[in-house]
Amino acid sequence: MVGWILKKVLGSKNQRSIKRMLPVVGRINEFDQQFNSLSDEDLRVKTADWKKELAAIGDPEELARRLDEILPEAFAVVKNAARRLNERKHTFTVCDQPMTWAMVHFDVQLVGGIVLHRGRIAEMATGEGKTLVATLPLYLNALAGRGAHLVTVNDYLARRDAEWMGQLYNFLGLTCGCIQHDQPPDLRREQYAMDITYGTNSEFGFDYLRDNGMATTREQQVQRRYHYAIVDEVDSILIDEARTPLIISGPTTISTHQYDKWKPLVDQLVRKQNMLCNRLASEAKEQFEQGNIEEGGRLLFKVKLGQPRNKQLLRMMEDPEKRKAIDKAELSFYQDTRKEELFALKEELFFTIDEKSNETDLSEQGRSFLNPDDPDSFVLPDLISEFTEIDLNRTLSDEEKERLKKERQEHCDAQGERMHNISQLLRAYCLFEKDVAYVVEENKVVIVDEYTGRKMPGRRWSDGLHQAVEAKEGVQIDRETQTLATITIQNYFRLYQELAGMTGTAETEANEFHDIYKLDVTVIPTNRPVARKDANDRIYKTRREKYNAVINEIKERHAQSQPILVGTVSVEASELLSRMLKREKIPHNVLNAKYHMQEAEIVARAGQAGTATISTNMAGRGTDIKLGEGVPERGGLYVIGTERHESRRIDRQLRGRCARQGDPGATRFYVSFEDDLMRNFGAADRMTKIMERFGLEEGQELEHRWLNKSVETAQKRVEQRNYLARKRTLDFDDVMNNQREVVYAYRNETIDSEEPRKLIYEVIDEAVPAKVKEYLGSGDTREEPNYAGLMNWVNTTFPLGLTSEKAQLETRTPDENGQFLIEKIKDAYERKSSHEEPTAVKSLERYIILNAIDRLWQEHLYAMDALREGVYLRGYAQKDPLIEYKTEAYDMFVELMANIKNEVLHNLFRSTSNLQAFETFLSTLPQFLIRETTPTAPTATGPVSGRRPERVAAAIGGNGESNEVALDLQPVRREMPKVGRNQPCPCGSGKKYKNCCGRVA
């Protein structure tokens, strides 16, 4: 009560925040009046002066303070420029359409600009001019010369806004660029170099991944620093799309999938399950007719487990008594005492479906149907036990043991692949509906965004699911992919020093914006009072009744020539309504994922008298609907929602499509108990009681504001669940993000380094002592040093040709041995490099490091994916999967960095910028090796059998004292038959002796 009184007297936190900004708005308008006397050139001079001043400020805090100081003046410059363009009726083209500038900033838009500059989210109702608002903070922050980005939801809006608002920026002397999907790197770099850049979130994110994970030179990188960004439709990008990380993937080298092989059997299995569920539903109907309510409820619960969308089941759930019987059976079976009965019930089906978690599970009956001859076909073998048995079998030779282990491993891999393929095919058949989750175009499966209804070409479901859907639809099955680089939306936008956002619907997700992005939401008041009337939801028993009521409403409104916008949640629903309207001979436009190209034009015309437009809820977002002549008198645009979305924001967004800038308008949602939201999250017992209390008849509706609250409660449940999923995704990716930052920083340091040899020597300085300690220990007398192992590693990695006598490792401490080997390796490398062109050597050194990073980072990503999938099982051992993931991920990362260094060392003497120079270097090495006691493995770059190690060492300055070749004058005793000049060289190279080892003989 006290809080309510204080709020009334002092105003809400939001109102107080806006009140504090009003004096700044007053100052902006004062400057605007003063600038009327300036010429166009004077305004541009102001821009140039500010750019020059701000470019000299290096300290970010000092820069932010100075930007705040010039804000009123800078905003006034933008507003004054907009007024000049408006007064001159400035004409231009946007997306090949002629346009005339007709906008000047309102005071509430100035408030919005201040909010955005301060790094907050501005919630502004649809039609309040968010596109124009963004020009204020973008201009101000672009003056710093570090780039200002505006992020939109699709390529069309990015291009439209860049060409539209670019008129204002160009008038003031700033450049404006736009990133589009198919632009080549050179053009992208030009666009990023401009003062202000527009683009989509995925293009910005993928450019970041390409720059940091794939580019090998600074010229190949297109982005610059991450200074300031405004995210348009911030709720759609930072929340709805945040569950899916951005992934750049490439095809795997081999493809092992068997989707096409198992598709016919899974297809038959799904049909058998459908027949079984139809029979069970018929039996349940008979049981109800005979008065066996409990048995009927049990049978229908079984149908619900096996086919939740079964038509007979949905029809019977319209009856409150039958719905109550199903709910009672479900509650009964989920009691702890009846777990075995529930398991037995599931085993009577071929498989079970869980819509909430998007999973399917084969029963024993289903497994037998798919593989009747092999009862163990769905059991992974226990490799540890089998390997132990093989090792303990003394009758087997080492070769036979290795062969058996390899066979068992291959059998286990094939078994796991088969189980995975069948599981994904079942999900594809039972959970992913055509024209709802995806569409088929040009022999390809294209994912449809569940929130926007937009197609997402180029995106693929992971873990083989996309291939399973391709097999189901009979289109070409593309090869499996492996991750080359990945980042979540959340972690990409956290790179920016300052981030802001704008949308029509952010208030319901204010907590998430604050928790994850540290962004606060400010609700900006509308320029004119909102005249929209939001009617109560109408609730029906079935979808059929609901759609009939929607059609009747459309007919009634269409007869009055009132424009109607109908929002649906899926492509399937929009096409069904379209067919029903065609039957009634009502002309209409359909806008969904299949007609993406005309999206903005269709939406823009939706306010004309007598127009009926059917649209997926979020299609056409970012486009104004302006009312035609005579429409306000007919009540304005009438918006009908055919289903409540999982998220309240999407419903609010649909409502906001009408009544812009004080226009009249009305909205109403139609809901049925068969809608997915109500079935899965609508508190079934409460719905049953409502149906019993009101005794709903065919076609009868319920309508009350209390019922609206009930629907919103269901939505809140889903929002909470989705928030936890996004939070979990972020928690796991935060671990990866820390690693990504280290690896990408190392890559960029390598690319930018003028002297990459310093980095090579850093690797030698760090990796060699680590290897010495690995073989010799830390000098503790209790540890047995492995001198032979160290000698073997040195001689197989570097062409030093060290012998035990020459190296005398036993006479030094491990630290001294490390230093001794470092000097030898660096001397050898200097000798190798001296035969090559210096610029080419620099490029080669960069390549050696980058190649090691990229190859091992990709393997690391694959291993991390596997860890993440398997770590959830540790929850059964009462361990927190996240903590386990962090622990193991750290160990894996330490190993990765060590492996990168070892890979660099391994390739150091196996790479050359010039083959002839490399052969010249090899020719300086003496020809023969005498037999030595230390075992060494001959390698391509190691000493060739037959060369003398002392001479090899001497030739490369191996004694560390002189680079002169110190020849050993002992007589050479031939240890192999004499070789003729034209005979094959005994080293095994395949060349003639005179062209190989005989060249320096």
Side-chain angles (χ1 to χ4, degrees):
M1 185 66 184
V2 174
W4 182 83
I5 293 169
L6 286 173
K7 198 171 182 180
K8 281 291 177 188
V9 175
L10 302 174
S12 66
K13 181 187 175 188
N14 192 75
Q15 289 166 335
R16 294 196 301 274
S17 176
I18 287 173
K19 199 174 181 180
R20 284 195 293 271
M21 295 180 206
L22 295 180
V24 183
V25 172
R27 288 184 62 206
I28 294 168
N29 288 326
E30 286 170 17
F31 277 120
D32 177 34
Q33 292 299 317
Q34 293 173 25
F35 293 160
N36 283 334
S37 59
L38 298 179
S39 67
D40 294 353
E41 192 54 40
D42 290 337
L43 284 182
R44 294 189 193 104
V45 167
K46 279 190 166 296
T47 302
D49 290 347
W50 280 326
K51 283 187 78 173
K52 188 176 179 182
E53 177 196 348
L54 295 170
I57 301 175
D59 180 32
E61 289 183 11
E62 174 65 21
L63 177 66
R65 188 188 60 75
R66 183 64 184 131
L67 286 173
D68 287 341
E69 286 175 2
I70 66 172
L71 181 146
E73 208 174 338
F75 277 25
V77 164
V78 179
K79 181 174 180 177
N80 199 271
R83 176 178 284 108
R84 294 179 189 211
L85 293 175
N86 184 49
E87 289 168 352
R88 295 168 192 176
K89 305 291 183 201
H90 175 65
T91 56
F92 52 98
T93 59
V94 171
C95 298
D96 306 320
Q97 298 295 317
M99 280 191 78
T100 303
W101 188 274
M103 295 181 294
V104 184
H105 303 78
F106 301 128
D107 283 359
V108 288
Q109 290 176 313
L110 298 176
V111 171
I114 297 167
V115 168
L116 291 174
H117 171 69
R118 291 179 179 175
R120 298 165 69 92
I121 290 173
E123 179 178 306
M124 301 180 72
T126 303
E128 289 295 303
K130 291 187 284 292
T131 307
L132 185 65
V133 169
T135 58
L136 299 162
L138 283 174
Y139 170 80
L140 176 59
N141 284 277
L143 294 173
R146 293 161 173 80
H149 297 163
L150 189 129
V151 187
T152 63
V153 289
N154 64 37
D155 271 353
Y156 168 78
L157 288 180
R159 182 185 165 198
R160 185 202 72 179
D161 292 356
E163 292 180 5
W164 192 6
M165 298 300 119
Q167 304 298 315
L168 192 56
Y169 304 131
N170 294 336
F171 181 83
L172 290 169
L174 291 183
T175 54
C176 179
C178 177
I179 305 295
Q180 295 281 284
H181 179 58
D182 293 323
Q183 284 176 340
D186 290 345
L187 186 54
R188 280 175 186 266
R189 195 177 306 105
E190 282 176 27
Q191 305 305 310
Y192 279 115
M194 295 193 182
D195 296 311
I196 295 164
T197 308
Y198 284 71
T200 64
N201 58 304
S202 55
E203 291 303 319
F204 281 118
F206 285 134
D207 281 339
Y208 167 77
L209 291 175
R210 281 188 285 263
D211 279 4
N212 292 277
M214 302 174 83
T216 55
T217 63
R218 176 55 70 191
E219 289 70 37
Q220 290 175 5
Q221 295 181 324
V222 297
Q223 288 188 336
R224 47 185 182 150
R225 64 184 94 182
Y226 305 96
H227 170 55
Y228 178 78
I230 297 175
V231 183
D232 191 10
E233 308 299 2
V234 67
D235 55 324
S236 176
I237 291 173
L238 296 192
I239 290 181
D240 297 336
E241 296 196 22
R243 279 186 291 174
T244 310
L246 298 173
I247 297 172
I248 293 180
S249 57
T252 52
T253 48
I254 54 167
S255 185
T256 57
H257 77 79
Q258 302 167 354
Y259 293 107
D260 37 6
K261 175 185 172 183
W262 291 103
K263 178 201 166 180
L265 273 173
V266 172
D267 192 57
Q268 286 179 42
L269 182 73
V270 171
R271 276 199 235 125
K272 284 183 83 73
Q273 175 99 330
N274 292 348
M275 289 163 62
L276 172 64
C277 288
N278 286 335
R279 182 165 54 76
L280 289 170
S282 301
E283 288 175 16
K285 190 176 179 183
E286 289 172 15
Q287 293 293 337
F288 282 125
E289 286 169 358
Q290 294 167 16
N292 297 333
I293 305 297
E294 191 174 331
E295 179 60 20
R298 192 188 80 86
L299 288 168
L300 284 185
F301 172 55
K302 196 198 288 191
V303 175
K304 188 179 175 183
L305 287 172
Q307 199 181 10
R309 296 174 189 170
N310 182 281
K311 288 180 181 175
Q312 288 187 69
L313 170 70
L314 295 176
R315 183 64 57 83
M316 281 192 262
M317 284 179 77
E318 295 168 18
D319 185 328
E321 190 181 355
K322 290 171 186 166
R323 176 184 279 275
K324 195 171 183 179
I326 297 168
D327 295 343
K328 188 177 177 184
E330 186 168 357
L331 285 169
S332 170
F333 274 110
Y334 279 113
Q335 291 173 1
D336 283 350
T337 53
R338 300 193 66 184
K339 276 185 178 176
E340 290 184 8
E341 289 179 65
L342 177 62
F343 178 75
L345 188 77
K346 288 180 177 179
E347 287 299 312
E348 292 170 21
L349 298 161
F350 289 100
F351 55 86
T352 54
I353 298 172
D354 185 348
E355 282 189 303
K356 284 186 189 178
S357 60
N358 236 15
E359 291 296 335
T360 58
D361 187 24
L362 270 175
S363 67
E364 191 58 45
Q365 190 180 178
R367 291 192 280 270
S368 301
F369 174 81
L370 290 171
N371 225 328
D373 303 327
D374 184 2
D376 294 330
S377 59
F378 289 89
V379 179
L380 282 175
D382 182 357
L383 284 182
I384 295 174
S385 302
E386 291 185 5
F387 282 7
T388 305
E389 283 178 24
I390 292 169
D391 285 334
L392 293 175
N393 190 341
R394 295 182 179 177
T395 62
L396 299 172
S397 67
D398 289 347
E399 290 79 10
E400 286 174 318
K401 286 178 181 179
E402 282 302 313
R403 181 178 56 77
L404 285 172
K405 284 181 182 179
K406 188 180 177 185
E407 285 175 6
R408 297 314 298 159
Q409 181 68 56
E410 287 173 356
H411 170 69
C412 180
D413 292 345
Q415 198 96 318
E417 183 79 30
R418 179 170 66 241
M419 290 162 64
H420 178 69
N421 286 178
I422 289 169
S423 170
Q424 295 294 51
L425 275 169
L426 264 181
R427 290 180 69 206
Y429 269 91
C430 302
L431 294 164
F432 290 80
E433 288 187 49
K434 185 179 176 182
D435 289 340
V436 177
Y438 63 92
V439 293
V440 177
E441 283 185 352
E442 298 174 2
N443 204 34
K444 287 190 180 296
V445 169
V446 181
I447 300 173
V448 173
D449 189 306
E450 64 177 305
Y451 290 99
T452 64
R454 292 190 172 107
K455 290 179 295 185
M456 299 193 288
R459 297 258 184 117
R460 292 177 65 82
W461 285 302
S462 59
D463 209 23
L465 177 61
H466 206 95
Q467 292 167 290
V469 175
E470 287 170 335
K472 168 192 166 185
E473 293 298 335
V475 301
Q476 178 187 334
I477 302 174
D478 288 339
R479 190 187 273 186
E480 294 166 70
T481 56
Q482 71 177 49
T483 302
L484 303 180
T486 176
I487 191 171
T488 56
I489 294 285
Q490 292 106 317
N491 277 321
Y492 173 71
F493 283 110
R494 283 165 157 189
L495 294 170
Y496 284 90
Q497 289 176 11
E498 195 75 55
L499 183 66
M502 50 189 190
T503 178
T505 47
E507 209 177 4
T508 54
E509 310 290 350
N511 289 339
E512 182 167 350
F513 282 124
H514 184 269
D515 292 348
I516 292 178
Y517 302 99
K518 301 293 180 280
L519 290 171
D520 292 320
V521 176
T522 302
V523 181
I524 311 296
T526 55
N527 187 46
R528 295 176 185 162
V530 177
R532 188 181 73 229
K533 294 174 183 173
D534 295 332
N536 290 325
D537 294 1
R538 283 185 175 160
I539 301 178
Y540 296 84
K541 281 205 297 187
T542 68
R543 277 186 176 160
R544 181 170 43 82
E545 295 168 54
K546 176 184 76 174
Y547 285 135
N548 286 334
V550 168
I551 296 298
N552 291 334
E553 177 92 61
I554 293 172
K555 279 168 68 177
E556 191 181 313
R557 301 281 173 175
H558 185 69
Q560 301 164 15
S561 293
Q562 183 176 7
I564 307 144
L565 177 66
V566 184
T568 63
V569 295
S570 69
V571 178
E572 182 188 43
S574 61
E575 293 191 339
L576 171 67
L577 274 170
S578 176
R579 287 195 298 272
M580 293 174 80
L581 284 176
K582 279 176 186 169
R583 222 167 28 231
E584 298 292 336
K585 295 186 170 53
I586 296 175
H588 60 280
N589 292 316
V590 179
L591 176 61
N592 58 37
K594 291 189 170 180
Y595 309 104
H596 183 56
M597 297 293 287
Q598 308 94 336
E599 182 175 297
E601 286 79 4
I602 293 174
V603 168
R605 293 196 300 268
Q608 302 303 311
T611 307
T613 308
I614 300 173
S615 157
T616 42
N617 278 358
M618 297 276 287
R621 194 171 177 176
T623 306
D624 262 357
I625 300 177
K626 293 177 182 174
L627 300 185
E629 201 174 324
V631 170
E633 293 75 29
R634 296 184 177 95
L637 179 66
Y638 189 72
V639 172
I640 295 174
T642 59
E643 196 170 323
R644 283 284 199 161
H645 201 275
E646 284 186 356
S647 168
R648 287 172 295 164
R649 283 180 301 101
I650 311 296
D651 292 346
R652 286 183 64 205
Q653 194 78 33
L654 183 61
R655 285 194 197 275
R657 302 317 299 263
C658 68
R660 60 178 292 284
Q661 288 294 326
D663 289 340
T667 68
R668 187 189 294 278
F669 276 86
Y670 286 76
V671 181
S672 84
F673 287 139
E674 289 182 354
D675 294 346
D676 290 347
L677 176 74
M678 302 304 283
R679 280 191 306 109
N680 293 330
F681 301 95
D685 52 339
R686 189 182 306 152
M687 286 159 52
T688 306
K689 283 174 187 171
I690 291 169
M691 290 165 71
E692 283 179 338
R693 187 176 302 159
F694 293 100
L696 279 178
E697 301 295 329
E698 176 78 21
Q700 214 175 345
E701 67 189 44
L702 290 174
E703 183 182 333
H704 197 281
R705 65 174 185 275
W706 290 354
L707 293 174
N708 297 0
K709 291 286 182 190
S710 181
V711 174
E712 284 186 12
T713 302
Q715 289 175 309
K716 283 178 185 174
R717 284 197 196 104
V718 188
E719 286 170 7
Q720 185 62 23
R721 187 193 69 156
N722 289 343
Y723 169 57
L724 292 173
R726 288 189 294 269
K727 188 81 170 67
R728 202 67 171 162
T729 300
L730 185 64
D731 288 340
F732 277 94
D733 193 65
D734 278 345
V735 179
M736 274 297 297
N737 197 49
N738 295 333
Q739 298 183 1
R740 185 188 301 113
E741 285 175 2
V742 172
V743 170
Y744 284 178
Y746 189 18
R747 268 190 115 261
N748 285 325
E749 185 187 2
T750 305
I751 289 171
D752 294 338
S753 174
E754 291 297 322
E755 293 294 333
R757 186 165 303 182
K758 287 181 181 176
L759 297 176
I760 294 276
Y761 282 178
E762 277 177 24
V763 170
I764 294 171
D765 290 340
E766 290 171 18
V768 172
K771 274 289 181 186
V772 170
K773 282 183 181 170
E774 185 183 319
Y775 285 106
L776 306 186
S778 55
D780 194 323
T781 52
R782 287 170 296 180
E783 294 180 59
E784 187 65 37
N786 182 3
Y787 294 111
L790 178 60
M791 287 291 292
N792 183 35
W793 175 77
V794 168
N795 283 325
T796 53
T797 309
F798 312 104
L800 300 184
L802 285 179
T803 61
S804 304
E805 294 77 22
K806 285 282 184 185
Q808 296 184 349
L809 300 177
E810 299 87 348
T811 62
R812 303 184 195 88
T813 65
D815 289 342
E816 290 170 345
N817 275 323
Q819 201 54 44
F820 166 74
L821 290 173
I822 287 169
E823 288 173 10
K824 290 277 187 192
I825 294 162
K826 287 182 180 177
D827 285 346
Y829 187 69
E830 290 293 340
R831 173 61 67 91
K832 172 185 177 291
S833 303
S834 67
H835 292 279
E836 300 181 53
E837 203 268 314
T839 311
V841 170
K842 284 184 180 181
S843 298
L844 178 66
E845 287 165 346
R846 283 195 195 93
Y847 174 78
I848 289 171
I849 300 174
L850 292 175
N851 185 56
I853 294 171
D854 292 348
R855 191 179 72 77
L856 293 168
W857 176 243
Q858 287 167 23
E859 288 179 10
H860 180 71
L861 289 176
Y862 185 77
M864 291 286 281
D865 282 347
L867 172 64
R868 186 167 169 179
E869 282 173 24
V871 81
Y872 288 104
L873 296 172
R874 302 192 189 179
Y876 293 114
Q878 304 303 308
K879 293 180 179 177
D880 184 344
L882 182 60
I883 292 173
E884 292 288 303
Y885 180 77
K886 285 180 177 178
T887 306
E888 292 218 13
Y890 176 75
D891 293 340
M892 288 167 68
F893 185 67
V894 170
E895 187 180 345
L896 166 73
M897 297 311 288
N899 287 343
I900 287 173
K901 289 168 187 169
N902 289 330
E903 178 91 350
V904 169
L905 294 183
H906 183 264
N907 291 330
L908 203 53
F909 290 91
R910 289 170 168 79
S911 312
T912 181
S913 62
N914 183 313
L915 187 60
Q916 193 172 355
F918 193 58
E919 288 178 347
T920 305
F921 161 63
L922 290 177
S923 72
T924 65
L925 307 181
Q927 185 182 351
F928 296 112
L929 272 172
I930 60 170
R931 207 180 290 277
E932 53 182 303
T933 54
T934 307
T936 60
T939 63
T941 57
V944 177
S945 178
R947 291 181 181 170
R948 186 166 297 185
E950 298 95 327
R951 293 188 180 179
V952 173
I956 329 172
N959 59 8
E961 295 166 5
S962 167
N963 279 341
E964 293 178 15
V965 179
L967 295 177
D968 186 349
L969 298 177
Q970 295 178 38
V972 176
R973 293 178 177 80
R974 187 183 296 120
E975 296 178 358
M976 55 182 74
K978 185 175 179 180
V979 183
R981 282 172 49 75
N982 290 313
Q983 288 180 322
C985 186
C987 75
S989 67
K991 295 181 181 179
K992 289 184 178 180
Y993 178 63
K994 67 181 180 183
N995 294 328
C996 189
C997 298
R999 285 174 64 183
V1000 290

